[in-house]
Amino acid sequence: MQPEGRGAAVPRRVSPLEAQEAIARAHREEWARVVASLAARFGDLDVAEEAAAEAFATAVERWPVHGVPPNPGGWLTTTANRKAIDRLRRESKRDRKQREAQMPYDEGPPEPSSAIDDERLRLMFTCCHPALAMEARVALTLRMVGGLTVAEIARAFLVQESAMGQRITRAKAKIKAARIPYRVPSTDDLPARVSGVLAVLFLVFNEGYLASGPGTDAVRHDLTAEAIRLARLLRDLLPTDGEVAGLLALMLLTEARRDARISPSGELVTLDEQNRAAWDPLLLAEGHLLVRERLAAGVPVGRYQILAAISAVHTSARTSRDTDWSQIVALYDQLVRLDPSPIVALNRAVAVAELDGPAVALVTVEGLQGSLDGYHAFHATRADLLRRLGRSEAASAAYDRAIELSGNTAEVAALTRRRDRGRPDA
């Protein structure tokens, strides 16, 4: 049986290992396309997800025996469509379901021909709709667009698989019940909605960059890699959006330092202590190129573009001492105007400490305690400034508070070492 139908090209016979590799590659490259096309046709994310999963399961059974089809994506889409139709035929309300299967999900007016028209982008905007809670958006995006299993998503965010499954199920049910439109937002709404998608991807990346749970890997490469893959997809679909390019650049410049961020003993290594020879030159080059392209565009930049520019300054310095701190402070000044949050002010204070000294920076940091007392990085920053000023006892107490609040084992190890090194009896 060939799902492509009569006249299909002959599948290519391969070894079992090659078939497995082809299936894994197809899952990475085709999952979002298959799910998106099914969602567009049937208007039901449950149907789309289950039929896509069944199609890949069928590929696992058949490709090692019958060979890899010349068009894996087409084979999977055709097979998944047949699985979906078979399911709908089995439903008790067959007639109504089959009529719905022939109707587009979005009942609104057709979009103009110039609108972005990619079903994967529609799927991403649907999963990241602001009507859903942020945790639901993250889970649904990783499942429907990223193709991660419920178990993988649950492990990533340290919740029970059953709880994560319920979260995803409720999100899909809300989309269906609220008739959330399966479409790219209008031109007027697009900037705000893109920012919501970027926030989801940034949250996924940050959880991988510095995993928050005790007992987990300090750096979750699976999550950072998935966030980068989805950001690349978004960049392909929205090539002129500066903030999309900015977030991708920020991720690449951060991921480039991954191999230097954890010491052999399992401690988190701060940027100034990292072995820069261990940074990935290809990721750095790609990230720097994106930053330069955005600067050359001559248009106002957004939050992610500024963060990427700050990272570019850090990673272009040959050594920590060569860092242009005045440029970094100037970039933070721009960022504060866009995002006057306490966390941005805290990060700016770190740069000010290098430019004007720890005493100047400490004044700013002390003023943030009311807003950031429950944030471990606030206490770690305050501890480092106090240590540099020779206030050992106060620094030790601040390190203790940072250790108490931090959930990352590698970060706890680094903070403990710095605290103990600064004690008078150390």
Side-chain angles (χ1 to χ4, degrees), residues 112-285:
S113 59
S114 60
I116 301 165
D117 190 17
D118 188 289
E119 289 171 348
R120 293 167 297 168
L121 189 60
R122 294 168 182 262
L123 180 62
M124 194 175 295
F125 275 108
T126 301
C127 293
C128 296
H129 196 279
L132 302 175
M134 180 59 76
E135 60 185 17
R137 296 185 217 174
V138 171
L140 199 59
T141 300
L142 289 177
R143 177 68 193 125
M144 305 303 293
V145 185
L148 275 65
T149 66
V150 174
E152 289 171 332
I153 302 168
R155 283 197 301 271
F157 290 93
L158 305 175
V159 300
Q160 293 294 321
E161 182 177 347
S162 59
M164 182 58 72
Q166 291 171 0
R167 183 180 299 176
I168 294 172
T169 297
R170 286 194 298 267
K172 290 187 291 187
K174 183 167 186 176
I175 287 173
K176 188 172 184 178
R179 302 296 293 175
I180 290 174
Y182 182 73
R183 66 181 178 190
V184 176
S186 65
T187 303
D188 292 340
D189 293 337
L190 189 59
R193 289 291 302 281
V194 169
S195 68
V197 175
L198 295 179
V200 168
L201 299 185
F202 196 35
L203 183 61
V204 173
F205 182 85
N206 281 339
E207 179 58 30
Y209 167 75
L210 192 64
S212 59
T216 63
D217 292 338
V219 177
R220 294 288 310 277
H221 177 58
D222 55 338
L223 284 182
T224 58
E226 183 60 23
I228 289 172
R229 189 180 73 82
L230 293 177
R232 288 190 189 280
L233 171 61
L234 196 60
R235 166 78 169 157
D236 289 341
L237 300 174
L238 298 172
T240 62
D241 191 293
E243 282 292 81
V244 173
L247 179 59
L248 177 57
L250 176 61
M251 290 180 177
L252 293 172
L253 294 174
T254 305
E255 183 73 354
R257 300 188 285 106
R258 176 169 59 93
D259 290 342
R261 292 187 63 241
I262 306 297
S263 72
S265 62
E267 286 187 20
L268 187 70
V269 182
T270 56
L271 179 60
D272 61 304
E273 296 178 331
Q274 288 175 13
N275 175 13
R276 300 186 177 218
W279 292 355
D280 188 318
L282 296 179
L283 292 180
L284 287 177

